[in-house]
Amino acid sequence: MVTRYSKVAITLHWLIALLIIGQFAGGKIMMAMEGSPLKFELFQLHKSFGIIILLLSLLRLMWRLTHKAPPLPETMPKHEKLAAKISHIGFYGLMIGIPLAGWAMVSAAPIRITTKIFKVVKWPDMPFIARSENLEKTFSQTHEIMSTLIIVLLLIHIGAAFKHHFKDKDDVMTRMVPRLKPKA
Amino acid sequence: MIRSMLLTAALLTTPVLTGCSSGADNIASAETLAAVSSNLPQLSGEHVWVVDRSQSILQFRAEHNGDKFTGDLGMFDAAVKLDLENPEGGEIHAVIDLSTIDAKDDDRNANLPSKAWFDVKSFPLATYSAREITGSRDSGYTAKGLLSIKGVERPVTLTFSVEAEGDKAVASGTARFSRADFNVGTGSDFETEEWVKFPIEVLVNITATR
């Protein structure tokens, strides 16, 4: 029986987690800044990392769908298992949805600013999106609301992991932590 | 504040390098050029100059996101009547095809024709007409005229100097104004100077014969 997440799953989990936290902080900082070449660069960097998150999350979703995750402990109550499932689906939805909303926002913006990933790779605008200020605003609000949601979900996620590790003392957290061997 | 300062500020003549726009563009867009030129008045008299477009260039300086750049105003034509020794009766008229502006950056060029900037669909041309010209060959000339962009007409002063030899003359000069006075760059991102500064400087370098 599978008892740990695979190396690929663990790597993707922590990499995406770091990127999400960085993007949230970076997004808040750049939005609060006065216009400057630095602000512009931060926007471009935010877009670059956003696309990276989108691609990694799609890869992760494919991996998850083709590789079995270790089952939750049998001692876990049914409603907790359901909550875990819902929160994980929520994470996937937001990990993919937030960058998509950001991309759509950029694509709908009447001002055309070419997205260049890390100043090198030209990223196209989303097809079939009309240039409209209202549409841009809608996507922008969606992007922001979902970003707040994922941070809330992240806090719940960390709380749940700690609950499993310190209170329930099961292997739910350790199996996603590199090099931490589950208790025998 | 900046706007009114700009308009009243004393203008200095800045010589510009002689233009080097290629004649090939002119041939390719000959039809449109004719359409552009048709907006100019027909001047007559002995002091009418014929602009040599292959030896003339209009440029502009602006600041975008910290980058002070010089762009080309693209296709234009001008009609000039000027007695260098007695400029008071002279006239300068210019017409610029705003769709051909090259701001030396793909993103800028993609945005300039849009509604927020030049709205070229509704206002394809900018025009300038000056009928108050003073000065001399030694001290340089000052032309007070009206600049029209995006349906807004404002007084703009052009200062220039002329180097003439026989029937050939090279005029170089500058005109400054604020893009905000002409509603160029509107909408939430450009209403202020956050990304694009207001002052615009047009650099004129014209070679003409008579």
Side-chain angles (χ1 to χ4, degrees):
Chain A
M1 200 175 75
V2 204
T3 55
R4 271 179 78 73
Y5 277 99
S6 65
K7 280 208 172 82
V8 173
I10 292 176
T11 307
L12 286 171
H13 170 271
W14 289 102
L15 188 58
I16 292 170
L18 278 177
L19 286 169
I20 287 171
I21 294 164
Q23 282 290 80
F24 186 79
K28 291 287 176 202
I29 291 167
M30 74 187 195
M31 288 308 286
M33 279 172 74
E34 294 278 310
S36 70
L38 177 65
K39 179 176 180 173
F40 185 81
E41 290 308 324
L42 286 180
F43 265 91
Q44 294 293 36
L45 216 54
H46 186 81
K47 294 199 278 182
S48 302
F49 280 118
I51 296 301
I52 301 294
I53 292 180
L54 176 63
L55 297 177
L56 287 176
S57 299
L58 289 171
L59 183 70
R60 187 170 168 200
L61 179 62
M62 285 198 314
W63 187 268
R64 178 70 182 78
L65 294 175
T66 52
H67 295 76
K68 250 193 156 37
L72 291 167
E74 275 164 31
T75 48
M76 238 174 109
K78 250 198 173 135
H79 69 272
E80 279 189 16
K81 282 188 177 173
L82 182 69
K85 190 164 189 131
I86 290 171
S87 79
H88 289 160
I89 291 171
F91 265 124
Y92 277 100
L94 291 168
M95 284 181 327
I96 293 164
I98 294 168
L100 281 181
W103 184 17
M105 164 177 57
V106 166
S107 308
I111 174 165
R112 293 152 198 264
I113 297 174
T114 313
T115 302
K116 261 192 178 170
I117 301 175
F118 301 120
K119 295 188 171 193
V120 182
V121 183
K122 214 166 156 177
W123 187 260
D125 282 333
M126 202 181 261
F128 312 116
I129 301 253
R131 299 244 169 225
S132 121
E133 215 164 307
N134 283 335
L135 207 54
E136 180 194 6
K137 214 169 165 185
T138 306
F139 286 131
S140 161
Q141 283 164 346
T142 312
H143 186 71
E144 202 181 336
I145 290 166
M146 288 198 296
S147 307
T148 309
L149 275 179
I150 205 169
I151 294 302
V152 171
L153 197 55
L154 178 70
L155 294 174
I156 294 171
H157 182 72
I158 295 170
F162 284 172
K163 176 198 174 271
H164 278 282
H165 192 67
F166 296 110
K167 188 162 173 279
D168 302 341
K169 297 190 195 306
D170 59 25
D171 71 340
V172 164
M173 192 182 94
T174 54
R175 61 198 193 163
M176 193 42 118
V177 180
R179 279 193 287 263
L180 250 191
K181 289 276 176 280
K183 281 163 262 181
Chain B
M1 190 57 186
I2 295 171
R3 298 172 207 187
S4 52
M5 275 166 61
L6 264 162
L7 287 172
T8 52
L11 299 174
L12 294 168
T13 303
T14 311
V16 195
L17 292 173
T18 305
C20 51
S21 73
S22 75
D25 303 346
N26 306 344
I27 293 160
S29 49
E31 225 179 77
T32 347
L33 172 65
V36 168
S37 303
S38 69
N39 291 279
L40 291 169
Q42 294 289 322
L43 300 178
S44 59
E46 63 170 314
H47 297 294
V48 172
W49 296 82
V50 178
V51 173
D52 178 355
R53 293 189 60 261
S54 69
Q55 295 294 313
S56 302
I57 189 166
L58 292 186
Q59 292 171 299
F60 69 103
R61 283 196 189 138
E63 183 175 343
H64 166 229
N65 193 23
D67 179 17
K68 289 176 188 164
F69 69 96
T70 303
D72 292 336
L73 285 180
M75 192 160 62
F76 73 97
D77 202 0
V80 180
K81 182 178 170 183
L82 184 66
D83 178 352
L84 295 175
E85 309 309 329
N86 192 11
E88 280 75 14
E91 295 176 38
I92 297 173
H93 305 273
V95 55
I96 299 155
D97 177 1
L98 292 175
S99 66
T100 57
I101 283 185
D102 179 6
K104 308 294 176 186
D105 177 277
D106 287 348
D107 279 346
R108 286 180 205 142
N109 287 347
N111 286 292
L112 282 179
S114 69
K115 252 192 152 57
W117 290 92
F118 288 125
D119 192 7
V120 295
K121 267 192 196 139
S122 308
F123 307 100
L125 303 174
T127 60
Y128 181 72
S129 280
R131 286 191 175 88
E132 269 181 72
I133 305 171
T134 54
S136 67
R137 279 179 78 161
D138 291 338
S139 63
Y141 301 91
T142 300
K144 286 185 178 168
L146 287 173
L147 177 62
S148 169
I149 303 174
K150 224 179 167 179
V152 181
E153 203 171 58
R154 299 256 180 190
V156 167
T157 301
L158 168 71
T159 56
F160 62 98
S161 61
V162 177
E163 280 186 39
E165 225 189 285
D167 283 341
K168 192 181 169 191
V170 176
S172 43
T174 58
R176 292 173 201 187
F177 53 89
S178 164
R179 67 174 177 87
D181 284 347
F182 297 90
N183 302 330
V184 172
T186 53
S188 53
D189 287 331
F190 308 110
E191 212 76 69
T192 67
E193 292 193 286
E194 185 178 8
W195 295 110
V196 182
K197 298 276 185 259
F198 287 154
I200 302 293
E201 185 177 29
V202 170
L203 311 173
V204 177
N205 197 279
I206 304 280
T207 299
T209 50
R210 72 180 157 176

